[in-house]
Amino acid sequence: MRTPLRSKEDIKRIRESGRILAACHREIAQVLKPGITTYEIDAIVERFLEKNGAYPEQKGYKGFPYATCASVNEVVCHGFPNKRPLEAGDVVTIDMVVNKDGWLADSGWTYAIDQVSADVRKLMEHTHEALFKGIEAAQPGATLGDVGHAIEQVANREGYGIVKPLVGHGIGRALHEPPDVPNYGIPGRGLRLKEGMVITIEPVFTLGRSGAVFWEDDGWTISSADGSVGVQYEHTIAITREGPMILTE
């Protein structure tokens, strides 16, 4: 299946979804504190999106039952919201896909609950850095290998694990469109980026060096194999003539 190329009007519509998503993340950041549950956060997201004429695309996607993926500590992705109160020192990644008038945007963000350890704080900072290194590399004419390599260099420099089964993807009309966007790669290899492509870039690093993961019995929740903390940052971007444009801020 070919990677869709979006018009400027299409990108404008995706950006509208992305702005609602970014505003929702800002709302989440205001309420996160010890004692709140990810179940409560999920309800806040549902209400916020409804108020803004949008809805959570992943709710019902292949049977996923919630508006958000809420992944705490060693859960690196696709965690189910639950009623366990978050505690000081936890990290939680809230990942969501917003649908506004049939156009989708996707962004996940890791938040610290109160004070976290120095090692975890550095993991957050460097994974965030890797996101923007990947975005910077996503120039028209560059390759997916260039993007993945930029991300991988940060993980290698700091000694973090890359969760290689989890990749970015195309997005627009459907939640997952081509191409896959790995968080590792060889410069100059892979699909060449063209003006009009819309993709997500989403590095997922673990404090443990292997980056190995396993799927829990629910078929969705992905946890680090060594029990170490996982962190993810994600933006949806458009490839434009002027360079990468972030659509989820």
Side-chain angles (χ1 to χ4, degrees):
M1 186 175 176
R2 297 182 66 180
T3 300
L5 297 179
R6 305 297 183 187
S7 68
K8 289 183 178 180
E9 184 61 29
D10 294 341
I11 291 170
K12 183 179 177 182
R13 291 170 184 262
I14 296 169
R15 191 171 194 176
E16 183 179 355
S17 299
R19 284 174 171 159
I20 294 171
L21 197 163
C24 191
H25 269 298
R26 290 192 291 272
E27 187 89 355
I28 291 166
Q30 295 298 312
V31 301
L32 281 173
K33 61 182 179 180
I36 196 169
T37 70
T38 51
Y39 191 83
E40 291 172 306
I41 295 165
D42 194 73
I44 289 168
V45 168
E46 285 233 53
R47 290 194 299 270
F48 185 92
L49 296 185
E50 183 178 8
K51 179 181 173 183
N52 285 274
Y55 67 89
E57 180 68 15
Q58 75 262 44
K59 188 171 184 178
Y61 176 77
K62 295 185 178 180
F64 190 82
Y66 297 99
T68 61
C69 298
S71 306
V72 180
N73 296 337
E74 75 280 0
V75 177
V76 299
C77 198
H78 300 161
F80 284 8
N82 61 50
K83 295 183 179 180
R84 179 184 81 79
L86 294 172
E87 300 175 2
D90 286 341
V91 294
V92 58
T93 301
I94 304 296
D95 188 5
M96 71 185 93
V97 182
V98 170
N99 183 322
K100 171 71 172 173
D101 299 329
W103 293 95
L104 311 183
D106 185 1
S107 177
W109 220 251
T110 299
Y111 299 92
I113 305 302
D114 204 4
Q115 296 297 317
V116 297
S117 70
D119 284 349
V120 171
R121 175 60 67 183
K122 287 179 181 178
L123 174 65
M124 294 174 68
E125 290 172 356
H126 293 309
T127 311
H128 185 267
E129 175 193 353
L131 167 65
F132 284 92
K133 291 290 188 183
I135 292 172
E136 184 181 346
Q139 303 289 335
T143 68
L144 290 178
D146 297 328
V147 175
H149 182 69
I151 293 168
E152 184 178 17
Q153 281 188 306
V154 179
N156 290 346
R157 184 193 75 206
E158 302 299 332
Y160 299 136
I162 300 171
V163 180
K164 291 187 174 181
L166 299 176
V167 297
H169 51 87
I171 193 167
R173 286 297 203 177
L175 198 157
H176 288 117
E177 298 178 350
D180 287 346
V181 184
N183 294 311
Y184 56 93
I186 299 171
R189 299 280 184 89
L191 180 72
R192 197 163 295 280
L193 298 174
K194 296 180 181 179
E195 183 181 358
M197 289 181 178
V198 177
I199 60 175
T200 72
I201 296 179
E202 46 184 299
V204 186
F205 293 172
T206 60
L207 205 51
R209 296 182 69 94
S210 75
V213 293
F214 67 94
W215 272 252
E216 304 281 0
D217 292 341
D218 60 26
W220 284 99
T221 305
I222 303 173
S223 299
S224 64
D226 60 9
S228 67
V229 168
V231 166
Q232 175 192 10
Y233 292 97
E234 174 188 15
H235 271 311
T236 297
I237 70 166
I239 309 302
T240 76
R241 188 173 303 174
E242 294 76 27
M245 175 192 296
I246 298 174
L247 305 180
T248 44
E249 65 176 8

